[in-house]
Amino acid sequence: MGRGRVQLRRIENKIKRQVTFSKRRSGLLKKAHEISVLCDADVALIVFSNKGKLYEYSTDSSMDKILERYESYTYAERAIFSSEADPQADWGLAYSKLKTRVESLQRSQRNLMGEELDTLNNKELQHLEQQLESSLKNIRSRKEKMLKEQKKNMEEIIAKAKAKALAQNAAWEQQNRAPYNSSPHHVMISDSIATPTSRNCQTRYNAEEATQGELRLGKGLLPSWMLSG
Amino acid sequence: MGRGRVQLRRIENKIKRQVTFSKRRSGLLKKAHEISVLCDADVALIVFSNKGKLYEYSTDSSMDKILERYESYTYAERAIFSSEADPQADWGLAYSKLKTRVESLQRSQRNLMGEELDTLNNKELQHLEQQLESSLKNIRSRKEKMLKEQKKNMEEIIAKAKAKALAQNAAWEQQNRAPYNSSPHHVMISDSIATPTSRNCQTRYNAEEATQGELRLGKGLLPSWMLSG
DNA sequence: ACGACTATTTATAACGG
DNA sequence: TCCGTTATAAATAGTCG
């Protein structure tokens, strides 16, 4: 952006390099600030000039917070095997990093549980509220999905039980050759399904229960959470 | 740089904000890289989106080195943990315990954030939902409380400023014995409140200055979050 | 959400003091 | 080194697919 096109390589002319550094530095800091404000992002920017001078920008001037957040985000055991010189020290370092991580996790966990809210400022509180609302949305849609799956499973089970009862009934009639009784089968079929103690159904349900683990509750076939909505 | 002029303030439209974030983020990273190469500078850039996702750039991908350099530049004191520790202690065991703890915390954290819900059964989901509802309740009441406090504080400040301005004005009139008009007290009041408190950093980027009038807080004394309620 | 396409606004390279 | 100015290159807001 200027009178000439610029190659992406180190500017050899010292003066030019310094001038360019100065101009671009302020541009970069400005843009860092802009994205931070416009997009509500947390930004930390550190620039060391060629000569070692430090320039920095950080959202809300909370460089330390952001760096800590960065550390806890990328925490790793990478330090552990990095040096053979003093393994003890490395273990200790890794351990203390991990401990920091645990503490940070515990803090945010408590916040997510609605505790220790007085440590948060307005923006953080707002953000937390939004996060929880979105969590709830996800959870409710997940519940809905599970509900549908369970209903579908239940229908399948019923259909299978029906089929089996039908087959057995037919077999029974076949064996007993009762010519006098031509009354409708569906009465017996319904009975066999509606009776929880029926052997057929019982084994069926047990089998499903072993895999699903959800299909019970004293009252009836449907657990209470399926009835609510 | 675009079809419309942009105000330096949070973009309220979520979609727009996200798109802008994405575009500006890549622009910012690019410029960070450019200044690093062109001017032979060491740059570390960390950006957290408002959803908490991390993006970063660092010269030669040596983020840690640059951060360490930053720390040592700012805090000369490098507080390496003190090795008061018992050399007999089983670091490995303690460490792996801690790691387990971290993993468990991470899992529940993710659940609280509405992620990885398919690892939960119905009962757990139900419990999670209730937990989040209660968290939200706490958060909202906390917000309310803060709002009240802030308003009270603001009123106190205004009252004090008013009193001070009034006193000064009276003193001035007393001294000069001149029956000038005494109406525009509010001018002095606004001035005394609107004056930012500190301006002490040299290498730090000065936000006020750089916004060139766009951010000039035209609205007044109250931060935006206070205006909504 | 991402890519492509403008019309504009910004950033900045070169230059002069 | 640090302003300003200016011509030009880049970035990007709005838009469509």
Side-chain angles (χ1 to χ4, degrees):
Chain A
M1 332 147 153
R3 300 211 169 175
R5 192 169 257 109
V6 67
Q7 300 293 318
L8 190 53
R9 75 161 73 105
R10 181 186 146 107
I11 298 169
E12 292 304 333
N13 182 311
K14 212 170 146 186
I15 305 298
K16 274 194 182 178
R17 188 169 66 234
Q18 167 54 29
V19 171
T20 294
F21 176 71
S22 172
K23 288 182 174 180
R24 279 180 175 260
R25 169 168 43 83
S26 69
L28 185 62
L29 292 170
K30 182 176 174 190
K31 282 197 172 293
H33 176 62
E34 285 176 353
I35 197 177
S36 166
V37 173
L38 290 172
C39 308
D40 201 20
D42 273 0
V43 179
L45 174 61
I46 295 168
V47 180
F48 284 103
S49 78
N50 190 356
K51 282 185 223 141
K53 191 161 179 199
L54 169 66
Y55 303 85
E56 62 179 295
Y57 167 81
S58 61
T59 302
D60 301 330
S61 301
S62 60
M63 179 63 84
D64 289 343
K65 269 192 196 167
I66 298 173
L67 294 190
E68 256 177 48
R69 188 173 170 194
Y70 175 81
E71 295 281 343
S72 79
Y73 196 104
T74 60
Y75 103 96
E77 301 121 278
R78 52 189 134 96
I80 298 176
F81 303 109
S82 61
S83 149
E84 308 82 33
D86 190 353
Q88 185 105 21
D90 276 345
W91 277 109
L93 182 58
Y95 186 83
S96 80
K97 277 191 175 177
L98 206 52
K99 223 166 82 182
T100 306
R101 174 84 173 134
V102 167
E103 280 155 12
S104 144
L105 276 169
Q106 283 175 326
R107 244 177 290 125
S108 69
Q109 184 109 336
R110 278 195 284 270
N111 288 154
L112 285 166
M113 311 269 281
E115 298 161 12
E116 292 182 14
L117 299 178
D118 47 358
T119 63
L120 302 180
N121 64 28
N122 288 289
K123 194 174 154 188
E124 290 164 334
L125 214 51
Q126 187 67 36
H127 185 242
L128 183 57
E129 185 181 10
Q130 282 166 3
Q131 172 58 61
L132 290 189
E133 277 166 355
S134 122
S135 299
L136 270 176
K137 223 175 69 185
N138 287 353
I139 286 160
R140 284 167 183 155
S141 91
R142 170 71 191 157
K143 274 175 72 179
E144 194 125 349
K145 198 177 150 200
M146 287 186 83
L147 180 63
K148 274 185 190 152
E149 278 171 14
Q150 303 273 2
K151 275 189 174 157
K152 206 180 125 211
N153 283 342
M154 185 60 70
E155 278 158 14
E156 269 172 29
I157 290 164
I158 291 173
K160 279 184 186 169
K162 240 177 198 166
K164 190 165 183 182
L166 203 67
Q168 287 199 339
N169 203 59
W172 183 83
E173 283 186 2
Q174 182 79 6
Q175 278 201 333
N176 290 279
R177 294 250 175 244
Y180 53 90
N181 179 10
S182 59
S183 60
H185 295 155
H186 62 265
V187 171
M188 306 186 67
I189 294 164
S190 322
D191 278 357
S192 72
I193 293 169
T195 309
T197 46
S198 148
R199 263 180 299 141
N200 302 334
C201 291
Q202 195 62 47
T203 49
R204 243 359 187 137
Y205 285 155
N206 285 342
E208 283 302 321
E209 230 176 286
T211 48
Q212 293 287 325
E214 313 294 346
L215 296 179
R216 52 201 299 289
L217 274 203
K219 271 303 162 58
L221 301 176
L222 297 178
S224 62
W225 59 265
M226 281 186 70
L227 302 173
S228 60
Chain B
M1 325 147 172
R3 301 213 167 174
R5 191 172 251 113
V6 68
Q7 301 291 316
L8 190 51
R9 77 161 84 104
R10 183 188 144 103
I11 298 169
E12 292 304 333
N13 181 308
K14 209 171 149 189
I15 307 294
K16 276 192 185 178
R17 187 169 67 236
Q18 166 58 30
V19 171
T20 295
F21 177 72
S22 173
K23 287 182 173 180
R24 279 180 175 261
R25 170 168 43 80
S26 68
L28 185 62
L29 263 51
K30 181 176 173 192
K31 283 198 171 293
H33 177 61
E34 285 176 355
I35 196 177
S36 166
V37 172
L38 289 172
C39 309
D40 200 20
D42 272 0
V43 179
L45 173 61
I46 294 168
V47 180
F48 283 103
S49 77
N50 82 339
K51 281 191 221 138
K53 190 157 181 206
L54 169 67
Y55 304 84
E56 60 181 297
Y57 167 81
S58 60
T59 302
D60 301 330
S61 303
S62 59
M63 180 63 85
D64 289 344
K65 273 187 195 162
I66 297 173
L67 293 189
E68 265 175 41
R69 187 173 169 194
Y70 173 80
E71 302 265 320
S72 68
Y73 195 104
T74 50
Y75 295 91
E77 156 251 353
R78 194 80 200 92
I80 305 291
F81 66 106
S82 53
S83 279
E84 37 67 37
D86 174 9
Q88 258 68 36
D90 190 340
W91 283 104
L93 181 60
Y95 186 85
S96 76
K97 276 187 179 176
L98 207 51
K99 213 170 101 180
T100 307
R101 174 101 178 101
V102 166
E103 278 155 11
S104 140
L105 277 168
Q106 282 177 324
R107 243 177 292 122
S108 70
Q109 182 112 334
R110 278 195 283 270
N111 287 153
L112 286 165
M113 311 270 281
E115 296 162 12
E116 293 181 15
L117 300 177
D118 46 358
T119 63
L120 302 179
N121 65 30
N122 289 289
K123 196 173 156 190
E124 289 164 333
L125 259 186
Q126 189 65 38
H127 183 246
L128 183 56
E129 185 180 12
Q130 281 165 5
Q131 171 58 61
L132 291 189
E133 277 165 355
S134 122
S135 300
L136 270 177
K137 223 176 66 185
N138 287 353
I139 286 159
R140 283 166 183 155
S141 91
R142 171 73 190 155
K143 274 175 73 181
E144 195 132 345
K145 198 177 149 200
M146 285 184 84
L147 183 62
K148 274 184 191 154
E149 278 172 12
Q150 304 273 5
K151 275 189 174 155
K152 207 180 120 211
N153 285 343
M154 191 55 72
E155 277 159 13
E156 268 172 28
I157 291 169
I158 291 173
K160 277 184 190 167
K162 226 175 209 167
K164 190 172 179 181
L166 213 61
Q168 286 192 337
N169 203 59
W172 185 85
E173 283 184 4
Q174 182 79 6
Q175 278 199 330
N176 291 278
R177 296 246 175 253
Y180 287 3
N181 83 15
S182 56
S183 57
H185 291 158
H186 56 276
V187 172
M188 306 181 62
I189 294 163
S190 308
D191 280 355
S192 69
I193 292 171
T195 304
T197 44
S198 66
R199 184 101 310 119
N200 56 351
C201 39
Q202 40 203 338
T203 62
R204 265 176 208 264
Y205 172 68
N206 188 325
E208 249 83 1
E209 208 173 286
T211 53
Q212 303 189 343
E214 309 240 49
L215 185 63
R216 206 121 280 179
L217 284 194
K219 272 300 158 54
L221 310 172
L222 298 178
S224 60
W225 58 265
M226 281 188 70
L227 301 173
S228 58

